[in-house]
Amino acid sequence: MKNLDIKCLSTNFRQAIETARDNGDFSEDLCFDHFPRGCCGDTCYLLAEYLRTFAVESIYYSGTRDDWSHAWLIIKDRRVKKPTSREFSWPEELRVTLEGYGVEHPAQTNVITRYEEADLESGTIIDITGDQFSDYDIPVYVGEMDSFHQEFEFSFAHDYEGLNDVRLSRLYRKIVKYL
């Protein structure tokens, strides 16, 4: 799918969120009642679910700037490198502590796969809440890493695997009725 098509879908989704908010559908949700302020993480999951219905797979990306965090999606396509795999060794003290709580003794080492910043630097960003910041006035951004997003220090990223939260599922149903 082309970036222009993804921008159109993302714009429609944001407009549906705004319509739901303006119609009072979020009056019982402290976060979304003030959309886009303070709800970038939840919005990413909701948008990822919507894009998934159009076969667009995405990665949740979180970063920090000063004392603020921000989240957006990265389109999971050929521009994104496969997650980095590293061997993790459990500290003996932690293994013993876990055993004390009845947790099966973990293997001495495990392979952990996770995205690093370098894996995602060429990916296409989808951000529909960036305008919550006073220095960014783009309500729907689909494109390469720009100067605003570069200001956020990478915290973590993970593949989107579905809505597994009752609250978010309820919000999603409220939003999609406006699409």
Side-chain angles (χ1 to χ4, degrees):
M1 186 172 283
K2 294 180 181 179
N3 284 359
L4 187 59
D5 297 329
I6 291 171
K7 183 164 185 172
C8 183
L9 291 171
S10 300
T11 299
N12 290 342
F13 194 76
R14 177 172 167 134
Q15 289 171 343
I17 292 172
E18 290 171 340
T19 301
R21 178 200 61 207
D22 295 346
N23 287 341
D25 289 352
F26 302 142
S27 61
E28 295 179 11
D29 191 278
L30 294 175
C31 179
F32 274 84
D33 199 33
H34 301 287
F35 179 86
R37 288 183 203 90
C39 52
C40 53
D42 288 346
T43 300
C44 285
Y45 291 121
L46 296 167
L47 177 59
E49 182 69 18
Y50 178 64
L51 292 174
R52 190 182 221 184
T53 65
F54 296 92
V56 176
E57 296 297 319
S58 59
I59 300 163
Y60 179 101
Y61 185 109
S62 179
T64 57
R65 176 177 80 169
D66 301 323
D67 291 332
W68 298 95
S69 65
H70 187 46
W72 56 85
L73 298 175
I74 303 278
I75 298 171
K76 189 174 180 180
D77 62 11
R78 60 179 170 68
R79 291 171 278 205
V80 172
K81 295 178 186 172
K82 291 188 188 247
T84 305
S85 295
R86 292 213 167 87
E87 193 172 276
F88 171 77
S89 298
W90 289 87
E92 186 59 32
E93 182 179 325
L94 181 56
R95 289 165 39 97
V96 170
T97 301
L98 289 173
E99 245 180 24
Y101 285 102
V103 176
E104 187 177 318
H105 204 279
Q108 185 66 27
T109 60
N110 296 86
V111 175
I112 295 178
T113 302
R114 67 179 201 167
Y115 287 104
E116 301 291 342
E117 184 175 20
D119 299 331
L120 305 169
E121 64 190 4
S122 297
T124 300
I125 292 171
I126 308 170
D127 187 351
I128 67 170
T129 60
D131 63 331
Q132 69 181 297
F133 294 92
S134 61
D135 60 336
Y136 198 71
D137 62 356
I138 302 172
V140 177
Y141 178 75
V142 176
E144 297 176 353
M145 183 73 75
D146 62 3
S147 59
F148 170 75
H149 292 91
Q150 287 174 350
E151 292 177 11
F152 289 85
E153 184 178 327
F154 177 78
S155 296
F156 66 90
H158 60 80
D159 290 326
Y160 172 72
E161 296 180 357
L163 284 181
N164 298 319
D165 180 276
V166 172
R167 176 182 155 267
L168 291 179
S169 295
R170 191 176 317 119
L171 288 169
Y172 185 76
R173 287 190 301 276
K174 289 178 179 185
I175 294 164
V176 296
K177 71 182 183 181
Y178 294 103
L179 290 169

